[in-house]
Amino acid sequence: MASLNFDGHELNHSSIFNNNPLDPEEFRRQGHMMIDFLADYFLNVEKYPVQSQVAPGYLRQRLPESTPYNPEPIETILQDVQEHIIPGLTHWQSPNFFAYFQCTSSTAGFLGEMLSAGFNVVGFNWIASPAATELETIVVDWLGEMLMLPKSFLFSGNGGGVLQGTTCEAILCTLAAARDQMLSKIGTDNMKKLVVYGSDQTHSALQKAAKIAGIHPKNFRAVKTTKSTSFALSPDSLQSQIRKDIEAGLVPLFLCATVGTTSTSAVDPLGSLCQVAKDYGMWVHVDAAYAGSACICPEFRHFMDGVEGANSFSLNAHKWFLTTLDCCCLWVKDPSALIKSLSTNPEFLRNKATESRQVVDYKDWQITLSRRFRALKLWFVLRSYGVANLRSFMRSHVEMAKLFEGLVAMDKRFEIVVPRNFAMVCFRVSPKAMGMRKSNQSHQNGNSDNGHKVVEEEEEGSSNEVNQKLLESINMSGRAYMTHGMVGKVYAIRFAIGATLVEERHVIMAWKLVQEHATAILSTN
Amino acid sequence: MASLNFDGHELNHSSIFNNNPLDPEEFRRQGHMMIDFLADYFLNVEKYPVQSQVAPGYLRQRLPESTPYNPEPIETILQDVQEHIIPGLTHWQSPNFFAYFQCTSSTAGFLGEMLSAGFNVVGFNWIASPAATELETIVVDWLGEMLMLPKSFLFSGNGGGVLQGTTCEAILCTLAAARDQMLSKIGTDNMKKLVVYGSDQTHSALQKAAKIAGIHPKNFRAVKTTKSTSFALSPDSLQSQIRKDIEAGLVPLFLCATVGTTSTSAVDPLGSLCQVAKDYGMWVHVDAAYAGSACICPEFRHFMDGVEGANSFSLNAHKWFLTTLDCCCLWVKDPSALIKSLSTNPEFLRNKATESRQVVDYKDWQITLSRRFRALKLWFVLRSYGVANLRSFMRSHVEMAKLFEGLVAMDKRFEIVVPRNFAMVCFRVSPKAMGMRKSNQSHQNGNSDNGHKVVEEEEEGSSNEVNQKLLESINMSGRAYMTHGMVGKVYAIRFAIGATLVEERHVIMAWKLVQEHATAILSTN
């Protein structure tokens, strides 16, 4: 115990934490080690089974029951990561990952995240770290302009953007804003009359947000879509549902329209939907979580046409825009609606900058108070790759999807389930392939006199079963990972292209894999 | 454009993105560069003004108006970070940062965050990356045991924990669960009767969560606290407020009790509050965002006594537990209540593991669907430092707070505003110091016959003004950063110790700084 004289006062030094946990040289040593670990991971990620092959509970059997009392060296921990964690990962960065929608990484996005974790500032309001707020207001304007968002959504046009974690938060925040705006007109006692609309293809985030925001469970509408509109929400169907609700004494509140649905990347017709909503004074949010990123390419921008009629628009930069999880960009035309609903002004955050009204305090634009400095990673991505490369990146994925689509078309056993819009192909083993097989079998059994209709229905059911088996069998192989969607009564395999490391050869290999497994299943079924 | 023969089909190669944005060797090169950048930042962070000195709008003037069309080298971007971002940061990792509550970093926490960003998996359900879910269930049990949380909060006791971003989310989720549980008993039409309780010291997160969850704005109760209980919530006050509400036909729903309030780190008496709440079937959430971490030390564990009567408990590991932002640990006794309120089961996420009911799907424990692999950083921290060093870390900060308290006590111009519980000292220039000065002035003016009461009130107001000036003057110096709280009518300066890099010398320097600025202000005022 050392001692120090200070103003004649003798002090005890606590030597209990000799090695500061943020010692710069130890940080440097371990940091370099981790970079090499990850670079090697990216070199090898293609070799791992894409979907983890572990069984539930595998990890608890391998790890100690409690926290160690004494420190363990980083080398031991990294060895455990290699031996025990990596086998339990489903490798989202594998070029053979074609499931869900991707969660893309990049060196720039990763570096931005590192820098944010290193600075570790909390930008709840401007004063708590001005750069965190200001850079965010700048990059959301930059990206908004790349998307040709109407100026009314940008800070430069009195709207504004914010970086949140995920679309779930973006929808919840805008829904709360819409709700409170409406209640201020019709009275807070009318909460139970408010109705929220999406289609049956809208992401479950909408229903969850409605539940959390206290919308009456009976007042959530998932308007039915059909194959005739490629599973896009029909303005007529919306209109007729709204009329019914109004007749029942309810109040239409909020519509979530989607550019690029999860199941089939369908695109709702924003222009005419906004027109319907406008007639009833509803808030329209556009969820472009996946496909929004592609709209920085002029040739895809038309999918967003009509967005000028909406109140808010969001996309997940972590999906297709290389930022790493999480980074949802939300733009609103009227930030004051968000702020009215989400602001609190506790004493401990009072400061002159806020009182000057010259600054943005992002705590009032989101659910949480504390917030990470996410703008860094978006800024790094925008600058490291530039508009030109970012467009090329999206286009290369769309080109690969076209390639895959072509391959599917060449094999008569398969069919495309819905038209492709972006870089995702929905396909399946065709009921006709079942039919052909069954028909052969029936002939052999001397039992070919079923009516056409019955045959078709049987074929559909049988096709769904076969496609489910096919998908499971592909995923079990570990050589590629895909997921499924149900549209209408059709079980479709979703082949989503978007992993940062994906190349044509992976797409071609994946297709060969699909064919091999289909052959095996069709021959034994 | 190369071409490839595959099953006789000629394919076009897109050479548009030659340099893959996740090329392992480029990742390695840039990653090492960033590690060195950050290690140097930690070496130098002490030298920067703690609170940023920039004016609103500084950054927009310095950056281009739009995204560059062509890529820019990482070297240029890092130079801009140094020149334009760092001056706009308030340096939360500076050892001279004594504001708010700290947001602690560490090499281990940082490495865990890096690894999570590198793997970039999305663990919404078990199947999407089993290790992400399983490691989380393990580390929350480890930490829960370190805290001596009752077994009923742990997976090993049929409760369970989850890592969310912030306390705001934890409170919103538990509030939604409590709300839906209550409405299932009393009917969904009774939403507007539900009442939420905290004290006037409870974090604003509670009020915000209540707003988002659709609790009627008139039904939020911030029960008054007083100096007599050191600003802890009195069970009697709570009881009498609840009785009033019941008489008015309302339904008590939710109490948020706090271990370590923001203004003064007051501790609400959990045992007796839970007893009151139990009588009315209310949900009790314990918010130990700041002080919970310290409770891994046996000598501080008593602050959590009574937690066994609560329904849920949360702490922010990013505050005092070295994980970097964000990492809120939430434990609940009855996960099914959360799940009932927050689950959705869209087709695209259907899988056999979920249907087997043998796995945890964390998407149903939180607001968002997508979720980062936060368990890695908590695991790295627990293992890299071990129980022993983690306790020492908390204790060293508490020791430094005692030292600061002692220094304050030695200067007659100052006083401690409320008793210290953890590592935060609330102090101010005493009204007596004003009195002494005024009294001298009054004597000089021949005007010493004011009543005592009036003098005291004047002194209080004058003290608040002086303390506000003092705080502004300290923060403007850039040599330390502190914030304030208002308790009762008293403006207190909060001196929170918790930065990872802080040492005794910084505390001593900060105190000298306070003294210097106080001397200057008291002599001119």
Side-chain angles (χ1 to χ4, degrees):
Chain A
M1 301 289 265
S3 72
L4 174 87
N5 274 314
F6 173 71
D7 284 354
H9 182 62
E10 196 176 67
L11 305 170
N12 290 322
H13 265 270
S14 46
S15 56
I16 35 183
F17 212 89
N18 279 325
N19 303 312
N20 189 289
L22 201 50
D23 174 78
E25 294 315 321
E26 188 59 20
F27 174 90
R28 200 187 303 268
R29 187 183 77 84
Q30 296 190 21
H32 286 311
M33 205 181 296
M34 182 61 91
I35 288 295
D36 286 330
F37 183 92
L38 280 170
D40 293 344
Y41 173 74
F42 296 132
L43 274 174
N44 294 319
V45 65
E46 186 169 343
K47 297 175 198 157
Y48 297 121
V50 192
Q51 188 189 32
S52 171
Q53 315 279 306
V54 299
Y58 89 100
L59 193 56
R60 211 170 267 262
Q61 293 162 12
R62 299 186 186 196
L63 296 188
E65 281 195 5
S66 55
T67 312
Y69 189 76
N70 291 312
E72 293 182 278
I74 186 68
E75 290 80 358
T76 309
I77 301 174
L78 280 179
Q79 202 175 324
D80 283 352
V81 170
Q82 189 67 48
E83 282 174 26
H84 304 307
I85 301 299
I86 286 185
L89 293 180
T90 292
H91 297 280
W92 286 64
Q93 300 317 304
S94 168
N96 298 314
F97 184 100
F98 302 102
Y100 311 108
F101 286 124
Q102 274 74 10
C103 180
T104 53
S105 194
S106 63
T107 299
F110 178 86
L111 294 188
E113 188 75 64
M114 272 176 78
L115 193 57
S116 167
F119 288 150
N120 205 27
V121 300
V122 186
F124 33 63
N125 55 11
W126 183 88
I127 193 81
S129 229
T133 296
E134 298 212 1
L135 187 63
E136 189 162 326
T137 63
I138 291 166
V139 291
V140 290
D141 267 14
W142 282 14
L143 182 53
E145 276 172 18
M146 285 168 72
L147 291 163
M148 292 191 281
L149 271 181
K151 200 145 175 90
S152 52
F153 283 99
L154 308 184
F155 282 105
S156 54
N158 291 321
V162 58
L163 301 180
Q164 303 191 343
T166 71
T167 303
C168 301
E169 292 159 73
I171 295 179
L172 178 54
C173 288
T174 50
L175 178 56
R179 180 197 65 189
D180 294 346
Q181 199 172 52
M182 183 63 84
L183 291 179
S184 75
K185 288 179 203 156
I186 65 172
T188 43
D189 286 348
N190 288 307
M191 176 94 171
K192 65 181 175 187
K193 293 186 186 167
L194 304 177
V195 189
V196 168
Y197 301 82
S199 84
D200 57 4
Q201 301 299 308
T202 304
H203 194 278
S204 55
L206 178 64
Q207 187 174 10
K208 189 158 177 173
K211 285 168 82 168
I212 295 173
I215 299 299
H216 197 291
K218 287 181 188 159
N219 294 353
F220 175 75
R221 306 279 174 265
V223 180
K224 197 169 153 41
T225 61
T226 62
K227 191 156 187 175
S228 68
T229 60
S230 295
F231 303 100
L233 175 57
S234 139
D236 290 342
S237 308
L238 175 68
Q239 172 108 323
S240 90
Q241 181 62 56
I242 291 175
R243 282 195 187 136
K244 266 188 226 165
D245 289 327
I246 289 177
E247 276 168 31
L250 300 175
V251 178
L253 173 68
F254 189 90
L255 167 67
C256 180
T258 308
V259 176
T261 59
T262 307
S263 289
T264 66
S265 61
V267 176
D268 292 338
L270 302 187
S272 39
L273 291 172
C274 288
Q275 198 51 55
V276 172
K278 195 181 171 193
D279 291 344
Y280 302 98
M282 294 165 67
W283 183 296
V284 181
H285 178 74
V286 177
D287 167 12
Y290 159 63
S293 297
C295 299
I296 63 164
C297 302
E299 69 271 30
F300 300 126
R301 175 56 177 76
H302 67 92
F303 288 112
M304 278 170 55
D305 283 356
V307 66
E308 56 278 9
N311 300 73
S312 47
F313 175 89
S314 62
L315 69 80
N316 284 351
H318 58 258
K319 278 204 164 61
W320 205 1
F321 212 75
L322 300 171
T323 61
T324 78
L325 188 68
D326 48 3
C327 189
C328 171
C329 312
L330 166 68
W331 290 267
V332 292
K333 274 185 184 165
D334 179 11
S336 76
L338 270 191
I339 294 167
K340 267 181 210 154
S341 196
L342 300 173
S343 73
T344 53
N345 289 299
E347 177 67 31
F348 76 98
L349 294 179
R350 283 190 61 186
N351 68 88
K352 284 188 172 169
T354 298
E355 282 154 20
S356 77
R357 294 173 177 254
Q358 291 187 301
V359 298
V360 170
D361 288 335
Y362 271 127
K363 71 181 176 64
D364 299 334
W365 293 54
Q366 61 176 26
I367 297 164
T368 64
L369 173 62
S370 293
R371 61 199 318 272
R372 280 153 51 234
F373 191 172
R374 292 191 186 94
L376 281 172
K377 58 183 178 179
L378 186 51
W379 190 49
F380 271 57
V381 164
L382 292 171
R383 295 186 64 184
S384 284
Y385 307 122
V387 176
N389 274 341
L390 287 165
R391 285 184 181 157
S392 300
F393 180 70
M394 312 291 152
R395 284 170 180 152
S396 72
H397 291 168
V398 174
E399 287 305 312
M400 286 187 245
K402 283 185 191 164
L403 159 65
F404 187 84
E405 202 175 29
L407 295 171
V408 174
M410 285 165 62
D411 187 328
K412 295 279 176 280
R413 299 171 298 172
F414 291 87
E415 67 177 15
I416 301 292
V417 176
V418 286
R420 180 195 51 75
N421 284 326
F422 303 99
M424 202 251 289
V425 179
C426 288
F427 73 100
R428 63 168 177 168
V429 173
S430 154
K432 284 175 203 151
M434 313 286 103
M436 290 184 277
R437 203 192 50 199
K438 286 227 168 152
S439 161
N440 291 341
Q441 287 169 353
S442 301
H443 268 293
Q444 283 157 15
N445 301 340
N447 178 18
S448 62
D449 51 9
N450 288 325
H452 260 302
K453 178 81 183 164
V454 177
V455 173
E456 270 175 25
E457 274 180 16
E458 269 181 18
E459 282 169 2
E460 276 296 342
S462 163
S463 166
N464 284 355
E465 210 176 288
V466 162
N467 281 294
Q468 190 170 351
K469 268 192 198 159
L470 173 59
L471 181 61
E472 278 165 15
S473 146
I474 292 166
N475 289 345
M476 287 284 285
S477 79
R479 291 168 59 203
Y481 184 35
M482 306 165 201
T483 50
H484 76 285
M486 283 291 281
V487 278
K489 288 176 181 172
V490 169
Y491 184 100
I493 300 178
R494 296 166 72 265
F495 188 79
I497 294 169
T500 311
L501 293 168
V502 70
E503 298 170 24
E504 272 183 10
R505 63 188 174 93
H506 302 107
V507 172
I508 293 165
M509 281 194 314
W511 174 243
K512 285 186 78 166
L513 185 72
V514 170
Q515 285 182 310
E516 280 166 23
H517 284 258
T519 301
I521 285 172
L522 288 171
S523 69
T524 59
N525 240 44
Chain B
M1 300 291 263
S3 72
L4 174 87
N5 274 315
F6 174 70
D7 284 354
H9 182 61
E10 196 176 68
L11 305 170
N12 290 322
H13 266 268
S14 48
S15 56
I16 36 185
F17 212 89
N18 279 326
N19 303 311
N20 190 289
L22 200 51
D23 173 78
E25 293 316 320
E26 188 59 19
F27 173 90
R28 201 186 302 269
R29 187 182 77 84
Q30 296 191 22
H32 285 309
M33 205 182 292
M34 181 60 90
I35 289 294
D36 286 331
F37 183 92
L38 280 170
D40 292 344
Y41 173 73
F42 295 132
L43 273 175
N44 294 319
V45 64
E46 185 169 344
K47 299 175 195 155
Y48 297 122
V50 192
Q51 189 189 32
S52 170
Q53 315 279 306
V54 299
Y58 88 100
L59 193 57
R60 211 170 266 263
Q61 293 162 12
R62 298 186 186 196
L63 295 189
E65 281 193 7
S66 55
T67 313
Y69 188 76
N70 291 312
E72 294 181 276
I74 187 67
E75 290 80 358
T76 311
I77 302 173
L78 281 179
Q79 202 175 323
D80 284 353
V81 170
Q82 189 66 47
E83 282 174 24
H84 303 308
I85 301 299
I86 286 185
L89 293 180
T90 292
H91 297 279
W92 285 65
Q93 300 317 305
S94 167
N96 298 313
F97 184 99
F98 301 102
Y100 310 109
F101 286 123
Q102 274 75 11
C103 180
T104 53
S105 194
S106 62
T107 300
F110 178 86
L111 294 188
E113 188 74 64
M114 271 176 78
L115 192 58
S116 167
F119 288 150
N120 206 28
V121 300
V122 186
F124 32 64
N125 55 10
W126 183 88
I127 194 80
S129 230
T133 296
E134 298 212 2
L135 188 64
E136 189 161 326
T137 63
I138 291 167
V139 292
V140 290
D141 267 14
W142 282 13
L143 182 53
E145 275 171 18
M146 286 169 71
L147 290 163
M148 291 192 281
L149 271 181
K151 198 142 176 95
S152 51
F153 284 99
L154 308 184
F155 282 105
S156 54
N158 292 320
V162 57
L163 301 180
Q164 304 192 341
T166 71
T167 303
C168 301
E169 293 160 71
I171 295 180
L172 177 55
C173 289
T174 50
L175 178 56
R179 180 198 64 190
D180 294 346
Q181 197 173 53
M182 183 63 85
L183 291 179
S184 74
K185 288 179 206 159
I186 65 172
T188 43
D189 287 348
N190 288 307
M191 176 96 170
K192 65 182 175 187
K193 292 186 186 167
L194 303 177
V195 189
V196 168
Y197 302 82
S199 84
D200 57 4
Q201 301 299 308
T202 304
H203 194 277
S204 56
L206 178 65
Q207 187 174 9
K208 189 158 176 173
K211 285 168 83 166
I212 295 173
I215 299 299
H216 198 291
K218 286 181 188 159
N219 294 354
F220 175 74
R221 306 279 175 264
V223 179
K224 196 168 152 44
T225 60
T226 61
K227 191 156 186 174
S228 68
T229 59
S230 295
F231 302 101
L233 175 56
S234 139
D236 290 343
S237 308
L238 174 67
Q239 172 108 328
S240 90
Q241 181 61 57
I242 290 175
R243 283 197 186 135
K244 267 187 223 165
D245 290 328
I246 289 177
E247 276 168 32
L250 301 175
V251 177
L253 173 68
F254 188 90
L255 167 67
C256 180
T258 309
V259 175
T261 60
T262 307
S263 289
T264 65
S265 62
V267 176
D268 291 338
L270 302 187
S272 39
L273 290 172
C274 288
Q275 197 51 54
V276 172
K278 196 183 171 191
D279 292 343
Y280 302 98
M282 295 166 67
W283 182 297
V284 181
H285 178 74
V286 177
D287 167 12
Y290 158 63
S293 298
C295 298
I296 62 164
C297 303
E299 68 271 32
F300 300 126
R301 173 57 177 76
H302 67 92
F303 288 112
M304 278 170 56
D305 283 356
V307 68
E308 56 277 9
N311 300 73
S312 48
F313 175 89
S314 63
L315 68 79
N316 285 350
H318 57 259
K319 276 203 165 64
W320 204 1
F321 212 75
L322 301 170
T323 61
T324 78
L325 190 66
D326 47 5
C327 190
C328 173
C329 313
L330 166 67
W331 290 266
V332 291
K333 275 186 187 165
D334 179 11
S336 76
L338 270 190
I339 294 167
K340 267 181 211 157
S341 196
L342 300 173
S343 73
T344 53
N345 289 300
E347 178 66 30
F348 76 100
L349 293 180
R350 282 190 61 185
N351 68 89
K352 285 189 172 170
T354 298
E355 282 155 19
S356 77
R357 294 175 178 253
Q358 290 187 302
V359 299
V360 170
D361 287 336
Y362 271 127
K363 71 182 177 60
D364 299 333
W365 294 54
Q366 60 175 29
I367 297 165
T368 65
L369 174 61
S370 294
R371 61 201 317 273
R372 279 153 53 235
F373 192 172
R374 291 193 185 95
L376 281 173
K377 58 183 177 177
L378 187 51
W379 190 49
F380 270 57
V381 164
L382 291 172
R383 295 186 63 183
S384 284
Y385 307 122
V387 175
N389 273 341
L390 288 165
R391 285 182 182 159
S392 299
F393 180 70
M394 312 292 153
R395 283 170 181 152
S396 72
H397 291 166
V398 175
E399 287 304 313
M400 286 187 244
K402 282 185 191 165
L403 159 65
F404 186 84
E405 201 177 30
L407 294 170
V408 174
M410 285 165 63
D411 187 328
K412 294 278 175 283
R413 299 171 300 172
F414 291 88
E415 65 177 17
I416 302 292
V417 175
V418 286
R420 181 194 50 75
N421 284 325
F422 303 99
M424 201 251 288
V425 179
C426 288
F427 72 99
R428 63 168 177 168
V429 173
S430 155
K432 283 175 204 151
M434 314 284 102
M436 288 184 280
R437 201 191 52 200
K438 287 228 167 149
S439 160
N440 290 341
Q441 287 169 353
S442 301
H443 269 293
Q444 283 157 15
N445 302 341
N447 178 18
S448 61
D449 51 9
N450 287 324
H452 262 300
K453 179 83 184 165
V454 178
V455 172
E456 271 175 22
E457 274 181 15
E458 267 181 17
E459 282 169 4
E460 277 295 345
S462 165
S463 166
N464 284 353
E465 209 177 288
V466 162
N467 282 294
Q468 189 170 351
K469 267 192 197 161
L470 172 59
L471 181 62
E472 277 165 15
S473 148
I474 292 166
N475 290 343
M476 288 283 285
S477 78
R479 291 168 60 204
Y481 184 34
M482 305 164 202
T483 50
H484 76 285
M486 283 291 280
V487 278
K489 290 177 179 171
V490 168
Y491 184 100
I493 300 177
R494 296 166 72 265
F495 189 78
I497 294 169
T500 311
L501 293 167
V502 69
E503 298 168 23
E504 272 183 12
R505 63 189 173 92
H506 303 106
V507 172
I508 292 164
M509 282 195 312
W511 174 242
K512 285 186 78 166
L513 186 72
V514 171
Q515 285 183 309
E516 281 165 24
H517 284 257
T519 301
I521 285 170
L522 288 171
S523 68
T524 59
N525 239 43

